[in-house]
Amino acid sequence: MKLSYQGIQDRAAFDAAGIKLPGFDWKTMRDATEQNPVWVHFGAGNIFRGFIAALQQTLLNNGRAASGIIAAETFDYDIIDKIYDPFDSMTLMVSLKPDGSTEKEVIASIAKGIRADSTNAAQWAALKACFTNPSLQMASFTITEKGYALTNVKGEMLSVVAQDIANGPDQARHAMAVVAAMLLARFQAGAQPIAMVSMDNCSHNGEKLKASVVTIVDGWVKNGHCPATFAAWVKDESQVSFPWSMIDKITPRPADVIRDQLTALGVEDMAPVVTSRNTYIAPFVNAEVPQYLVVEDRFPNGRPALEHAGVYLCDRDTVNMTERMKVTTCLNPLHTALAVYGCLLGYTSIAAEMQDEQLVKLIKTIGYVEGLPVVVNPGIIDPKAFIDEVVEQRLPNAFIPDMPQRIATDTSQKVAIRFGETIKSYAADPEKDPASLTAIPLAIAGWLRYLLAVDDQGNPMPVSADPMLPTLQAELAGVELGKPESCKGKLEGILTNEVLFGVNLRQVGLADRIEGYLMELLAGPGAVRATLKKHLG
């Protein structure tokens, strides 16, 4: 069996293998999308293929949509070349249940993948053709939080962004400049309205997207690359909206055991690939079953009937409360704490960590004890019930092949939201004191200990990719395991960095506590475990 349009014509073979096929014709959908595109998505990775594309598949299966999604990749063009084109942009979605069983479905709602590359004339023209078509209703995004960043941690503009602003839309390279260039093409072709919907896992994602796009656009206006009327159009929310959203679904890296199961069923060419940008990706996506998408309902040119695919459509306040609930309390902080301590303690599975008494106590304290008191109930999802599902069902699912090493990626870009927001809430409440927190500062200290690239046994340990890694490790130079006092005087620049944590940890009274915890974690081999036992029982 082959994952392709021709391959899925053998319906009997797929049925015998227990793989659900789409209830529509892919070529018919592709042609309809080519003529009247409705939805472009930036970011062609697993969360898109395994969740967002599956939403449109539901609408196509139910006759509530005729066109699919066009996937645009701004970062890793190998994904299009190696994972989209050879499989007619189809994905084999494998849902992993806690009992070890799986559900398998061919997701065929993606009409095509495009390399969003201004140096490739044909691909650039194809993307522009989507944006100049009046039928286009929305562009969505899963490009990770760093995809919106225009500056480094010191607030200095990235060189690629400065060059894009200087060179203009025809030479755009940064994702935000690419998006701005597409909006300019739409403006010049008649200025039809559009919604730009960030679905990335970060706070106020729509606000971040708009701020970055507007920065590029204002720079182009200043440099004479486009008229001021274009900037005014982009800033007019009745013409170009930037809805906020909250997304939640764990889509870990492709698991060998799933590849082997699919191969045993007779599905060909399921081996993962490693791209030139070090993306580990496969023709299949394996993911947990629970999923949530909450989107602010502001679409000035109409939208797909997403409410019929399980999406919550609501106002911005509800999105914001739901997002804060998840990102600052109920899931993401728990994940980050498990990631750094899991790496230090030699774990390679999030589920295995959930058998560790101290680590479970750590995340329960972060979620239930320290986070819940400052989270507002959004009304559509109950915060405590959400944490219950995370702690009791999702994280312990042994069949989710998620690794602390994956979750630890880009932690510097996440700590401001995952821990800083709760700290700020305590600081803003006259009846609460940030200095009363214990598990959150212990998680921050654990991250600093992790950055030393030495595990709890004193052995060298790989540290996951992070744009701030060289800077942070340079500031921690000289801090050594077995020499607790070596961290004294080394942390001030880190702990007072409001860009990093969203708050000055010295000013809120947590710097000394974090330094004290780090000194305990540095006592010698086994000190990480001893510190967790001391403070968590």
Side-chain angles (χ1 to χ4, degrees):
M1 292 180 289
K2 288 185 176 291
L3 181 65
S4 66
Y5 178 71
Q6 190 62 41
I8 65 172
Q9 302 312 306
D10 187 359
R11 300 190 71 91
F14 279 87
D15 288 345
I19 301 172
K20 182 180 179 182
L21 291 176
F24 55 92
D25 180 71
W26 178 77
K27 280 190 175 178
T28 301
M29 177 277 297
R30 182 196 61 186
D31 293 344
T33 308
E34 189 75 23
Q35 295 170 16
N36 293 296
V38 170
W39 187 349
V40 170
H41 183 89
F42 288 91
N46 288 343
I47 189 68
F48 165 63
R49 297 161 64 221
F51 184 6
I52 296 163
L55 300 174
Q56 189 69 356
Q57 173 118 335
T58 297
L59 300 183
L60 285 160
N61 282 339
N62 294 338
R64 295 184 182 274
S67 65
I69 307 176
I70 294 167
E73 178 57 36
T74 61
F75 175 72
D76 193 339
Y77 306 138
D78 280 356
I79 293 176
I80 303 300
D81 296 337
K82 297 179 179 181
I83 296 297
Y84 277 68
D85 291 349
F87 302 95
D88 291 333
S89 300
M90 296 182 186
T91 299
L92 186 46
M93 177 62 198
V94 182
S95 298
L96 310 169
K97 297 183 177 182
D99 64 2
S101 64
T102 62
E103 290 182 353
K104 296 173 283 292
E105 180 178 8
V106 172
I107 303 298
S109 60
I110 303 170
K112 65 179 176 180
I114 293 178
R115 303 153 196 77
D117 178 5
S118 62
T119 67
N120 186 318
Q123 293 286 288
W124 194 244
L127 189 56
K128 273 192 177 180
C130 299
F131 274 82
T132 55
N133 196 314
S135 65
L136 188 66
Q137 295 178 332
M138 64 183 286
S140 55
F141 299 79
T142 52
I143 57 175
T144 77
E145 187 167 4
K146 63 184 176 182
Y148 305 103
L150 304 183
T151 61
N152 61 22
V153 71
K154 296 179 181 178
E156 301 162 340
M157 184 169 284
L158 299 173
S159 60
V160 65
V161 176
Q163 291 167 18
D164 280 350
I165 290 175
N167 295 335
D170 292 336
Q171 299 179 54
R173 291 183 296 156
H174 188 279
M176 295 296 95
V178 169
V179 172
M182 292 302 114
L183 286 174
L184 178 59
R186 188 169 182 82
F187 175 75
Q188 293 171 332
Q192 290 292 321
I194 189 172
M196 309 297 285
V197 191
S198 172
M199 295 180 179
D200 270 298
N201 182 19
C202 56
S203 291
H204 300 182
N205 47 20
E207 183 176 76
K208 285 181 170 63
L209 172 59
K210 182 174 184 177
S212 295
V213 170
V214 165
T215 297
I216 300 288
V217 170
D218 283 346
W220 286 347
V221 171
K222 183 178 179 180
N223 289 334
H225 293 302
C226 59
T229 49
F230 169 56
W233 179 73
V234 170
K235 296 172 187 178
D236 182 351
E237 289 272 346
S238 70
Q239 298 298 311
V240 183
S241 68
F242 293 84
W244 295 12
S245 73
M246 187 283 282
I247 191 169
D248 182 29
K249 185 180 181 72
I250 297 173
T251 52
R253 64 180 279 164
D256 290 346
V257 65
I258 300 301
R259 174 204 62 200
D260 294 344
Q261 288 177 10
L262 295 174
T263 301
L265 287 171
V267 186
E268 301 174 36
D269 302 323
M270 287 293 103
V273 300
V274 179
T275 70
S276 59
R277 304 300 292 265
N278 292 316
T279 303
Y280 189 86
I281 192 166
F284 66 91
V285 172
N286 44 227
E288 65 174 350
V289 175
Q291 59 186 35
Y292 301 87
L293 181 59
V294 183
V295 180
E296 180 185 1
D297 197 359
R298 282 194 306 120
F299 292 80
N301 199 33
R303 60 167 173 78
L306 294 169
E307 68 274 20
H308 293 288
V311 178
Y312 296 90
L313 279 302
C314 53
D315 60 24
R316 178 173 291 187
D317 286 343
T318 302
V319 174
N320 191 36
M321 288 187 290
T322 309
E323 183 272 333
R324 283 183 61 85
M325 176 200 77
K326 178 237 176 180
V327 175
T328 71
T329 302
C330 297
L331 175 60
N332 297 40
L334 283 57
H335 243 165
T336 293
L338 286 174
V340 296
Y341 277 106
C343 292
L344 287 167
L345 294 172
Y347 284 104
T348 57
S349 161
I350 291 291
E353 289 188 72
M354 293 302 292
Q355 305 302 313
D356 188 305
E357 182 181 356
Q358 282 85 41
L359 295 182
V360 171
K361 181 70 177 295
L362 174 67
I363 65 168
K364 284 186 174 181
T365 304
I366 291 172
Y368 291 115
V369 179
E370 298 182 349
L372 269 185
V374 293
V375 166
V376 177
N377 189 328
I380 58 174
I381 302 171
D382 178 68
K384 183 182 180 302
F386 192 94
I387 299 182
D388 290 343
E389 181 184 57
V390 167
V391 173
E392 297 169 9
Q393 300 177 41
R394 298 175 66 182
L395 296 179
N397 184 346
F399 300 96
I400 299 291
D402 213 358
M403 305 171 67
Q405 291 76 14
R406 182 188 80 88
I407 304 299
T409 302
D410 298 335
T411 299
S412 70
Q413 309 299 294
K414 303 169 181 175
V415 287
I417 303 303
R418 301 188 178 192
F419 301 126
E421 287 299 309
T422 294
I423 294 170
K424 285 196 289 187
S425 294
Y426 272 71
D429 189 333
E431 297 184 3
K432 290 183 171 59
D433 181 3
S436 67
L437 298 169
T438 58
I440 288 176
L442 189 58
I444 293 171
W447 175 50
L448 299 178
R449 170 68 180 80
Y450 161 85
L451 290 172
L452 301 182
V454 178
D455 68 17
D456 195 31
Q457 301 305 311
N459 300 315
M461 174 190 72
V463 176
S464 300
D466 190 308
M468 280 194 64
L469 191 58
T471 301
L472 292 166
Q473 289 186 327
E475 292 201 43
L476 293 169
V479 178
E480 296 181 34
L481 180 64
K483 297 181 180 179
E485 69 285 352
S486 64
C487 74
K488 281 199 164 292
K490 293 281 189 178
L491 308 183
E492 199 66 15
I494 296 174
L495 299 182
T496 59
N497 188 332
E498 294 189 35
V499 175
L500 185 58
F501 292 104
V503 62
N504 183 320
L505 295 173
R506 171 69 62 192
Q507 291 180 354
V508 298
L510 283 176
D512 289 341
R513 172 161 292 177
I514 293 169
E515 183 181 77
Y517 285 155
L518 181 57
M519 290 179 68
E520 293 180 35
L521 295 167
L522 289 168
V528 171
R529 176 63 70 187
T531 302
L532 290 172
K533 285 184 176 179
K534 173 183 175 181
H535 295 286
L536 299 168

